[in-house]
Amino acid sequence: SDLLPLVVAALNDKVAAESQEELTKLRKGLELSQSIEIIRAANNGKDEDEDENTIVYASTQFQDGEYAYNPNLWQVNLEPCGSTTCRLTNLRNCQICVGGGFPIASLDDEMPNSPPC
């Protein structure tokens, strides 16, 4: 009876901590779903081992962009990620991805889905 308020307070604290943890996960998921990145797979884009790490050269959030001179195009300014730079020899193995790794275009000028120059 005297411990009841303490038990209730402890349960409330646990629920609040779990709710905060869930909100943090949801925010990270939302941020990831709205991301645009230029990446290169550690295996140079070959699909044999999808579990290998990817190298993120630049990224931004979709909602930080704006319409370009053409209203059919959305323009974003990519920010470098860390100190990793992309050498021109590796550019052909890079992809433009949205939503945490879903490729929408390749930077390989010999592939059919590459963006126009």
Side-chain angles (χ1 to χ4, degrees), residues 28-37 60-62 96-104:
K28 285 182 181 179
L30 178 62
E31 185 176 306
L32 182 63
S33 72
Q34 295 174 340
S35 67
I36 300 173
E37 301 171 321
T60 192
Q61 293 293 301
F62 182 82
I96 301 171
C97 296
V98 296
F102 297 99
I104 58 169

Side-chain angles (χ1 to χ4, degrees), residues 2-78:
D2 291 339
L3 295 176
L4 185 60
L6 292 174
V7 171
V8 169
L11 289 175
N12 285 339
D13 287 346
K14 182 179 179 185
V15 169
E18 289 173 352
S19 296
Q20 183 63 34
E21 193 175 303
E22 186 174 346
L23 280 173
T24 301
K25 286 180 185 177
L26 290 171
R27 283 187 183 118
K28 285 182 181 179
L30 178 62
E31 185 176 306
L32 182 63
S33 72
Q34 295 174 340
S35 67
I36 300 173
E37 301 171 321
I38 294 181
I39 67 167
R40 179 174 65 91
N43 62 0
N44 289 332
K46 296 178 177 60
D47 291 332
E48 291 96 26
D49 189 2
E50 293 181 2
D51 295 333
E52 288 211 27
N53 293 334
T54 57
I55 301 167
V56 180
Y57 291 114
S59 68
T60 192
Q61 293 293 301
F62 182 82
Q63 70 271 16
D64 293 339
E66 61 189 7
Y67 284 106
Y69 61 91
N70 178 342
N72 294 322
L73 300 175
W74 188 255
Q75 177 178 324
V76 294
N77 293 321
L78 295 162

